[in-house]
Amino acid sequence: MPRHPPSIDLVTPTGGEPTEWTSNAPQAIERVPQSASDWAAWLIALAVLAFFAVFGFQAMTWALAGGWQWLWMVIGLPVFSTFSVLTVMFVVKRLREGRRVRVALENMSLERGEGFRVGEPLELRLRATVPRARAGERTVAPERIVMRLMRRAAGDGLGGETDRSDTCCDEVVAHRDDTRADRLVYACELCANPELGGDAAQWFIELHDPAADDGLPFFVAGLRLLPAR
């Protein structure tokens, strides 16, 4: 009897085709833009804190005159120590103030046509949007995404178990096209060598973040293999 090729189940690391993604790469921290009114309010608050700190210091100098004026030390010492610390903390907080830049996508969908033929170009389009930013952050889309055409083959391994191997057959860096404000598009073409065909193989697409070091895809999608023309 003819021997059928072993079946190959495409088990994706992401568990399917996700619709949301956030980069695992180290994310930048940027200064938060401040308006003129914000700066004016900050300077007024700083001036009030500094005034009480100076007043407390002046009160302690009055206490050095001796006599009944030593009572100024009771007021000056706690006022100066409290407001001097608050003034320093207020300035340091402003200098260190920043927001996280989160690289992320949502509403992701990969357009890959009706199917894939070995040896013919495959047009891919990843459509997505930028998620809404949460408090203390700004969200941006990645400038580029690595798209890989993968081939999974199966063979007989040791002990009669099926041995699977994944091979990258083509790789392209797709750049962001944000000409439409409501939708981002990453487009490219991938093609496999005609010699890599075969029934005992499965084809799929992997999307990678070039800024991440883990080497894992954040999006995996299977391809429908069409017969050769």
Side-chain angles (χ1 to χ4, degrees):
M1 295 180 63
R3 185 167 178 265
H4 296 283
S7 61
I8 307 171
D9 295 327
L10 180 60
V11 180
T12 63
T14 55
E17 297 183 14
T19 59
E20 298 181 358
W21 164 75
T22 296
S23 174
N24 293 326
Q27 299 176 9
I29 302 296
E30 66 178 9
R31 296 296 301 273
V32 181
Q34 301 289 340
S35 63
S37 59
D38 293 335
W39 278 108
W42 183 81
L43 290 174
I44 292 174
L46 178 63
V48 172
L49 293 174
F51 170 79
F52 281 100
V54 172
F55 172 76
F57 180 79
Q58 187 63 41
M60 290 190 297
T61 60
W62 294 337
L64 297 179
W68 65 269
Q69 296 194 46
W70 68 269
L71 294 175
W72 282 109
M73 186 65 69
V74 178
I75 300 175
L77 182 60
V79 171
F80 172 74
S81 59
T82 300
F83 283 92
S84 59
V85 171
L86 290 177
T87 301
V88 172
M89 293 179 60
F90 192 67
V91 174
V92 171
K93 181 180 178 182
R94 171 51 63 95
L95 295 177
R96 298 181 60 183
E97 188 177 16
R99 63 183 178 186
R100 184 176 63 129
V101 182
R102 182 165 65 99
V103 180
L105 294 173
E106 68 177 6
N107 301 321
M108 295 189 299
S109 63
L110 183 64
E111 298 177 359
R112 47 195 184 273
E114 299 180 355
F116 164 70
R117 284 187 173 91
V118 180
E120 295 186 9
L122 173 66
E123 294 185 0
L124 296 174
R125 286 185 177 85
L126 177 70
R127 300 185 184 274
T129 59
V130 180
R132 184 175 299 178
R134 297 188 290 262
E137 71 174 16
R138 182 172 68 93
T139 53
V140 296
E143 293 288 338
R144 58 190 184 276
I145 291 175
V146 176
M147 297 191 180
R148 293 176 181 173
L149 176 60
M150 304 294 296
R151 177 181 183 270
R152 172 167 294 179
D156 294 332
L158 297 177
E161 297 181 355
T162 302
D163 184 21
R164 301 174 181 177
S165 61
D166 294 345
T167 305
C168 178
C169 300
D170 197 7
E171 178 180 312
V172 174
V173 177
H175 293 269
R176 183 180 69 193
D177 181 9
D178 49 4
T179 53
R180 294 182 57 185
D182 60 335
R183 196 76 166 168
L184 302 172
V185 178
Y186 299 83
C188 73
E189 280 191 358
L190 294 171
C191 187
N193 191 318
E195 299 178 358
L196 297 176
D199 295 333
Q202 189 172 27
W203 298 83
F204 57 99
I205 298 297
E206 286 186 354
L207 305 187
H208 291 259
D209 178 14
D213 297 329
D214 53 14
L216 298 176
F218 66 86
F219 191 103
V220 178
L223 293 174
R224 178 170 171 261
L225 184 61
L226 301 177
R229 297 180 188 275

